[in-house]
Amino acid sequence: MTHQEKDYHDIPGTYVFDGSHFRKGYHLNMFCMSLNKQENRDKFRHDEEAYLAQYPLTDEQRKAILERNWLEMLRLGGNIYYTFKLAIFDGMTMQAAGAAMSNTDMTEEDFKQMMISGGRSIDGNRSKKETK
Amino acid sequence: MTHQEKDYHDIPGTYVFDGSHFRKGYHLNMFCMSLNKQENRDKFRHDEEAYLAQYPLTDEQRKAILERNWLEMLRLGGNIYYTFKLAIFDGMTMQAAGAAMSNTDMTEEDFKQMMISGGRSIDGNRSKKETK
Amino acid sequence: MAKVIAGVGTSHIPAIGAAVDHNKTQEAYWKPVFEGMEPAKKWIEETKPDVCIVVFNDHASAFSLEATSTFAIGVAPEFQPADEGYGPRKVPVVKGSPELAWHITESLIMDEFDMTIVNEMPVDHGLTVPLSIMYGQPEEWPCEVIPLCVNVIQYPQPTGNRCFNLGKAIRKAVESYPKDTKVAIFGTGGLSHQLQGERAGLINAEYDEQWLDDLVAAPEKIKHTSHTEYLRETGSEGIEAIMWLIMRGALDEDVKQVYRFTHCPVSNTHYGLLVLENQDE
Amino acid sequence: MAKVIAGVGTSHIPAIGAAVDHNKTQEAYWKPVFEGMEPAKKWIEETKPDVCIVVFNDHASAFSLEATSTFAIGVAPEFQPADEGYGPRKVPVVKGSPELAWHITESLIMDEFDMTIVNEMPVDHGLTVPLSIMYGQPEEWPCEVIPLCVNVIQYPQPTGNRCFNLGKAIRKAVESYPKDTKVAIFGTGGLSHQLQGERAGLINAEYDEQWLDDLVAAPEKIKHTSHTEYLRETGSEGIEAIMWLIMRGALDEDVKQVYRFTHCPVSNTHYGLLVLENQDE
Ligand SMILES: [Fe+3]
Ligand SMILES: [Fe+3]
C-alpha cells in the first residue's frame, strides 16, 4: 500500500478514515460492529480471545482491542464509530473515551470539565506546524 | 398505491420493474432470491408450501408460485431475474420460460426455432396500438 | 400539489436521545438544552408537516464497511429503531412514505443523482434523535418519514456543492408530486465536534456561528468549503454539517429564519438547531 | 502514470459461461459464436492490460431489493464467484485492485458521482462471463479486476448521459494514478433481448447495428436515448447496453475499432462484441 500524502495529514491528533485506513482496519471495524447484536455481545463477554479468533486481525490489533488501547485502535485502522461500539460494550461514556484518547493524564472528569468550558480550543490545534 | 400512467405502459407484453412493481412484488421476489442458497433450495424442495409460509405473500402470489404461472408472477410484481431463480430451481431453460410466458401454444422447441430464425420481430411489437 | 414548506437543522447527538428516554431532561445539565428546543417543538406542532424527509447518517448500524452508499433513500413502509449496542431505543417505529419516496427516487435518478434505493434499514440515533427533539415522546410519530442516508463517516464524503444540488433536485421532485402534501426537510448532524484522537473534544463555536449565518443568508459562500477545511476547523466529525446543505438546497434562495439556537456542550458537541421557512408560507 | 488503453464491449449471457464450463464450445450451436470471439481473445493476449475495470450488473446475486445501488465500485482484494442457483461457476477467484479502486473511488466522489463503495460482493455471470469470453479458462485470471456494478434491473436505470460522463470521470481518475498501469475497461450486457412477458424473445438487430455504429463513431448521438426507447426497441433487458456507454466515455473522442462481431441468437439475445483502442496506443 503506498502512502500518499494528503493535506488532511497536517491536522494534529486526527485519524481521517480514508481508503488507506479502511483497508488497514477492515476486520478490526467489522469485529466492533458485530457487537451491535446481543448474542455477539454475550459471546464476546464470555471469552474475548475466543471471540476475536473469528476475525483475521493482526497481533497488534488483537492486543489493542484486549487492552482497550483506544488510540492504538485508531492508528491501526479503527473508525471511531466502530471502536465506540466496544466502548459502549464496556459501559464507557463518550467523555471517558475522549479522555483516554487525549493521550495525556486527562481523566473523564477533566474531559467533561473541558467540554463545559467550551471544549478543546481550535487555537493551536489547526495544524501540526502550530503544535510543534 | 396510485397507478400513474407512464409512456412505457404502451409497450406490449412487457412488465417494467418500476417502483410500483417493486412494492407489489417485494416478498415474491425476495422468496425467489432465497433460492440462491443450497440449504434453501433443499428446504423448498422438501415442502414448498411450508417454505412459502415464511414470506408474507398474497394468496394470488402463492398460487402463481405453486402453479409456476410465470406470466402471472410478473403481473403480481415479479422481476424476471428473480422469478428465473425459480425456473433454474425447476431445471428450466430460458427458452422454456420464454415459451411459457409467450401466452400462446408455443413450445420450448418453437421458441428455440423462433430465436434461431432471428428472434421475435420488433415489427408489430413496438406499441399496444400496433398489436390491437 | 406537494410542497417543501420548511427546513430544520439539528445535531443528532445520541446523548439527547438517552436524556429523553431516561427522563433526564429537567436535570441541570440538560434543562437549558431542552428549553432551547421548545420554540422549535411549538413551531412543528403548529406547522404539522405530513412528511418529513430526514437527511441523516448511519453510524455502523444498518450499513457496514461491506457497502457504503454516498446517498441512500428509504422507500420502505417502515423502519425499525436499530440496536446500536445498548438495545434499540424504545421509540415508535418510523413509518415511511413509500409512494412519495419512490416518486422522489425516480426523479432524482433521472436528474442524474446516483441514489441507492433501500427497503431494509434499521434507523439509528442519526434519524430518531431529531424526531425526539422535534416531537418529544408521542405514541406514534405524527408524520411519515423519508430517510435519506448520507455517507459522512467514510472519506471521501460527497462535496458540499453536491449536497446543495441534491437538495434542489429533491425540491423539484417533491413539487412534481400530484397529491397535496406538506413536506419538511431535516438536515441533521454537526455542528463542530471531534470524537476521536488526541484532538477529541474540539469545538469551534465561532466558525459554527459564521457557518450558520452563511447557511441561512448566503449558502453559495459555503457550498464549496473543502473537506479538509471542515475536518480542520470543525473536527473530524463536524463534516456531518454538509447534510444541512441538502436541507438548505431544498428551500428558497431567500428564507425566513424562524428560530435558531446553539448550546455548548451537549456531550462532546456544539449543539445547533435551526428552523427555516420558505417566504411564501 | 496509469492509462486507459482500450475498451471492450460484450454481452454477458450466462449460457456462454455454461458452454465454456461444460465444454460445449465446439458444438454446432456454439462454434460460430466462439470462433467469432477468437480475434478479441488474441487481441487481449497481446495487449495484456494490468487491470480490467469491468462494468457489469448484478442479477439478484450479491444485491437484492433490500438495497439497489445505481453505481457500486468494488474495492476488495478479491471477489468470489456467486451461487446463482446452480452452485458457483468453477472459475478462478477474481482478484481485485484495491489501491487503484480506492484511488478511482475518491476521484469519482470528489467529481460528484455518488458511488457506493463495496468490499463484499460475490460476482455473478455479469462479470465472470466477459472474463471467460476474453481469457478462456486460465488457472488464474491474468489481470486484476475492478468491478463496477450498475443498476440496470430496477427502473429507473441511470441515464445514458450519466453513464457516458461516468466513463469520462473514470478516465480522469485513472490518469491521475501515479503508477504505470495499463487499464482496459469492459462494458457488458445487451444487445437487444427481452427475457420476460409475452414479448419474450424480442430481437432488434437492425437497431443494435446502428447503435453500435453510433457508439463507435458518434456516441453523442445516442447518449440521450430515453429509457422508454431502449425498452421499446431493444427489449426490457436490452437497456443493459447503457453500460457500454460508460466504457465508451472512458475512451478518446476518436477511437480505432479493432474488432466487431455480432451473432444472433445466443440464448435469447443478440450477442455483440466490440474492441476499441485509443488512437495513440
Ligand atoms: Fe452523526
Ligand atoms: Fe445482464
Side-chain angles (χ1 to χ4, degrees):
Chain A
M1 198 179 326
T2 43
H3 182 77
Q4 266 190 286
E5 206 48 53
K6 308 272 191 173
D7 56 359
Y8 50 73
H9 290 150
D10 169 56
I11 305 172
T14 300
Y15 303 82
V16 175
F17 194 68
D18 57 12
S20 138
H21 271 256
F22 175 105
R23 292 171 64 194
K24 242 197 287 186
Y26 187 74
H27 296 293
L28 166 63
N29 290 311
M30 292 304 283
F31 146 69
C32 291
M33 171 137 182
S34 75
L35 301 177
N36 276 347
K37 292 204 174 126
Q38 185 63 51
E39 61 192 274
N40 293 335
R41 296 196 286 270
D42 292 343
K43 280 185 206 157
F44 182 61
R45 205 177 307 277
H46 177 255
D47 185 341
E48 298 203 352
E49 298 207 33
Y51 187 83
L52 289 179
Q54 301 173 73
Y55 293 87
L57 303 163
T58 66
D59 290 343
E60 281 174 298
Q61 289 174 327
R62 196 172 300 107
K63 186 158 173 279
I65 293 166
L66 293 171
E67 294 177 354
R68 305 298 197 265
N69 188 336
W70 305 101
L71 210 45
E72 184 71 359
M73 283 184 238
L74 297 182
R75 289 189 192 116
L76 300 173
N79 172 305
I80 185 65
Y81 290 113
Y82 288 75
T83 58
F84 193 63
K85 304 281 178 192
L86 183 57
I88 291 175
F89 174 86
D90 287 347
M92 266 173 103
T93 66
M94 205 36 114
Q95 287 77 33
M101 287 182 288
S102 296
N103 209 19
T104 56
D105 301 334
M106 219 182 230
T107 64
E108 178 175 359
E109 208 35 63
D110 296 338
F111 193 91
K112 277 188 182 155
Q113 209 46 59
M114 175 181 80
M115 292 316 301
I116 288 171
S117 315
R120 191 182 301 276
S121 173
I122 184 72
D123 296 322
N125 279 312
R126 283 190 173 87
S127 159
K128 287 183 179 164
K129 293 175 205 95
E130 292 181 313
T131 46
K132 269 167 197 162
Chain B
M1 198 180 320
T2 44
H3 181 78
Q4 268 192 283
E5 207 45 53
K6 308 271 191 173
D7 57 359
Y8 49 74
H9 289 150
D10 168 57
I11 306 172
T14 301
Y15 304 82
V16 175
F17 195 69
D18 58 11
S20 140
H21 271 257
F22 176 105
R23 291 169 66 195
K24 244 197 286 186
Y26 187 74
H27 297 293
L28 165 62
N29 290 313
M30 291 305 282
F31 147 68
C32 292
M33 172 139 180
S34 75
L35 300 178
N36 276 347
K37 290 203 176 127
Q38 186 62 53
E39 62 193 272
N40 294 335
R41 297 196 285 269
D42 293 343
K43 280 185 207 160
F44 182 63
R45 204 177 306 278
H46 177 256
D47 185 342
E48 296 202 354
E49 298 208 32
Y51 188 83
L52 289 178
Q54 303 172 73
Y55 292 86
L57 302 164
T58 66
D59 289 344
E60 281 173 297
Q61 289 174 328
R62 195 172 302 107
K63 188 159 171 279
I65 292 166
L66 292 172
E67 293 177 354
R68 306 296 197 266
N69 187 336
W70 305 102
L71 211 45
E72 185 71 0
M73 284 185 239
L74 297 182
R75 292 190 190 113
L76 299 174
N79 173 305
I80 186 64
Y81 289 115
Y82 288 77
T83 58
F84 192 64
K85 303 281 178 191
L86 182 57
I88 292 174
F89 173 85
D90 287 347
M92 265 172 104
T93 66
M94 205 35 115
Q95 287 76 32
M101 287 182 289
S102 296
N103 207 22
T104 57
D105 302 333
M106 220 182 227
T107 63
E108 178 174 358
E109 206 36 60
D110 296 338
F111 193 93
K112 275 189 184 156
Q113 209 45 60
M114 175 181 79
M115 293 314 302
I116 288 172
S117 315
R120 192 182 299 277
S121 173
I122 183 73
D123 296 322
N125 280 312
R126 285 190 171 86
S127 159
K128 287 182 180 166
K129 291 175 206 97
E130 291 181 310
T131 45
K132 272 169 197 163
Chain C
M1 297 293 286
K3 268 193 110 168
V4 177
I5 55 165
V8 172
T10 176
S11 312
H12 57 216
I13 304 153
I16 295 176
V20 171
D21 299 347
H22 304 113
N23 297 310
K24 293 186 185 166
T25 61
Q26 294 312 303
E27 291 182 4
Y29 181 90
W30 287 108
K31 210 168 176 325
V33 182
F34 284 92
E35 274 176 12
M37 294 169 184
E38 275 306 315
K41 281 197 164 76
K42 240 171 233 144
W43 169 86
I44 208 159
E45 215 184 297
E46 285 160 15
T47 308
K48 293 192 192 21
D50 302 308
V51 179
C52 292
I53 299 171
V54 181
V55 182
F56 76 111
N57 70 290
D58 180 76
H59 305 78
S61 303
F63 303 117
S64 76
L65 302 185
E66 289 185 358
T68 302
S69 288
T70 296
F71 297 132
I73 183 165
V75 297
E78 54 180 54
F79 303 92
Q80 300 291 334
D83 186 346
E84 304 180 50
Y86 321 88
R89 281 191 73 201
K90 289 187 181 53
V91 290
V93 169
V94 175
K95 299 286 180 197
S97 189
E99 189 178 322
L100 177 56
W102 268 106
H103 175 86
I104 293 171
T105 301
E106 288 198 10
S107 181
L108 290 177
I109 294 174
M110 288 304 197
D111 278 345
E112 308 197 336
F113 288 85
D114 316 315
M115 307 306 292
T116 294
I117 309 168
V118 183
N119 205 66
E120 204 60 54
M121 175 166 61
V123 286
D124 72 13
H125 69 268
L127 185 131
T128 62
V129 164
L131 293 178
S132 298
I133 289 169
M134 296 305 286
Y135 291 117
Q137 294 180 288
E139 286 286 305
E140 297 286 333
W141 300 118
C143 60
E144 295 181 349
V145 171
I146 299 177
L148 201 158
C149 181
V150 178
N151 166 45
V152 295
I153 77 178
Q154 173 70 55
Y155 186 92
Q157 294 80 1
T159 67
N161 184 58
R162 185 69 175 163
C163 289
F164 191 72
N165 287 334
L166 176 60
K168 289 192 182 192
I170 289 171
R171 181 184 190 158
K172 179 183 156 201
V174 168
E175 292 185 345
S176 66
Y177 186 65
K179 293 190 191 168
D180 271 333
T181 313
K182 278 197 289 186
V183 177
I185 180 166
F186 290 22
T188 75
L191 302 173
S192 60
H193 63 303
Q194 174 150 342
L195 303 177
Q196 56 129 322
E198 293 91 337
R199 212 173 66 138
L202 185 102
I203 297 287
N204 191 348
E206 206 181 323
Y207 187 96
D208 289 336
E209 296 295 347
Q210 179 63 51
W211 189 86
L212 286 173
D213 288 347
D214 290 340
L215 184 79
V216 176
E220 307 280 334
K221 268 173 72 179
I222 53 170
K223 71 180 193 181
H224 291 296
T225 298
S226 72
H227 290 47
T228 299
E229 179 169 331
Y230 278 112
L231 295 168
R232 193 191 297 281
E233 293 292 334
T234 72
S236 48
E237 281 65 58
I239 194 167
E240 284 185 343
I242 56 171
M243 293 187 285
W244 295 42
L245 278 165
I246 297 176
M247 173 272 281
R248 185 63 186 86
L251 303 178
D252 287 347
E253 216 176 302
D254 292 319
V255 288
K256 184 175 142 202
Q257 180 178 303
V258 176
Y259 186 63
R260 173 168 159 180
F261 169 70
T262 51
H263 182 86
C264 182
V266 174
S267 185
N268 294 9
T269 303
H270 184 208
Y271 177 77
L273 177 60
L274 185 65
V275 178
L276 301 176
E277 270 181 4
N278 279 337
Q279 297 279 16
D280 53 1
E281 300 314 315
Chain D
M1 297 293 287
K3 270 195 111 169
V4 178
I5 54 163
V8 172
T10 175
S11 312
H12 58 218
I13 304 153
I16 296 175
V20 172
D21 299 348
H22 303 114
N23 298 310
K24 295 185 185 167
T25 61
Q26 295 313 303
E27 292 182 4
Y29 182 90
W30 287 110
K31 209 167 174 333
V33 181
F34 284 91
E35 272 177 12
M37 294 168 184
E38 275 306 313
K41 280 198 166 76
K42 240 171 234 145
W43 169 85
I44 209 158
E45 214 185 297
E46 284 160 18
T47 308
K48 292 192 190 22
D50 302 307
V51 179
C52 292
I53 299 172
V54 181
V55 182
F56 77 111
N57 70 288
D58 180 75
H59 306 77
S61 304
F63 303 117
S64 76
L65 302 184
E66 290 186 359
T68 303
S69 289
T70 297
F71 297 133
I73 182 166
V75 296
E78 54 181 52
F79 304 91
Q80 300 291 334
D83 186 346
E84 305 180 50
Y86 321 86
R89 282 190 72 199
K90 288 186 182 53
V91 289
V93 168
V94 174
K95 299 287 180 197
S97 189
E99 189 178 322
L100 176 56
W102 269 106
H103 175 86
I104 293 171
T105 300
E106 290 198 11
S107 180
L108 290 177
I109 294 174
M110 288 304 196
D111 278 345
E112 307 196 337
F113 288 84
D114 315 315
M115 308 306 292
T116 294
I117 310 166
V118 182
N119 205 67
E120 204 61 54
M121 176 165 60
V123 286
D124 71 14
H125 69 269
L127 185 130
T128 61
V129 165
L131 293 178
S132 297
I133 290 169
M134 295 304 286
Y135 291 116
Q137 296 181 287
E139 285 287 305
E140 299 285 331
W141 300 118
C143 60
E144 295 182 351
V145 171
I146 299 177
L148 201 158
C149 181
V150 177
N151 166 46
V152 295
I153 77 178
Q154 173 71 55
Y155 186 92
Q157 294 79 1
T159 67
N161 185 58
R162 185 67 174 163
C163 289
F164 191 71
N165 286 333
L166 176 61
K168 289 191 179 191
I170 289 170
R171 181 183 190 160
K172 179 182 153 200
V174 168
E175 292 185 347
S176 66
Y177 186 66
K179 292 190 191 166
D180 271 333
T181 314
K182 278 197 288 186
V183 177
I185 179 165
F186 288 24
T188 76
L191 300 173
S192 61
H193 63 305
Q194 174 149 341
L195 303 177
Q196 55 128 324
E198 293 91 335
R199 212 171 66 137
L202 185 103
I203 297 287
N204 192 346
E206 205 181 324
Y207 188 96
D208 290 337
E209 296 295 347
Q210 179 63 49
W211 187 87
L212 285 173
D213 288 347
D214 290 340
L215 184 81
V216 175
E220 308 280 334
K221 268 174 74 179
I222 54 169
K223 71 182 191 180
H224 291 295
T225 299
S226 72
H227 289 46
T228 299
E229 178 169 333
Y230 279 113
L231 295 169
R232 193 189 299 279
E233 294 293 335
T234 72
S236 48
E237 282 63 60
I239 194 169
E240 283 184 345
I242 56 171
M243 294 187 286
W244 294 40
L245 278 164
I246 298 175
M247 171 273 279
R248 185 63 186 89
L251 302 180
D252 287 349
E253 218 176 300
D254 293 319
V255 287
K256 182 174 144 204
Q257 180 179 302
V258 176
Y259 186 61
R260 174 168 158 180
F261 170 69
T262 52
H263 182 86
C264 182
V266 174
S267 186
N268 294 8
T269 303
H270 185 207
Y271 177 76
L273 176 60
L274 185 65
V275 178
L276 302 176
E277 269 181 7
N278 279 336
Q279 298 280 16
D280 54 0
E281 299 315 315

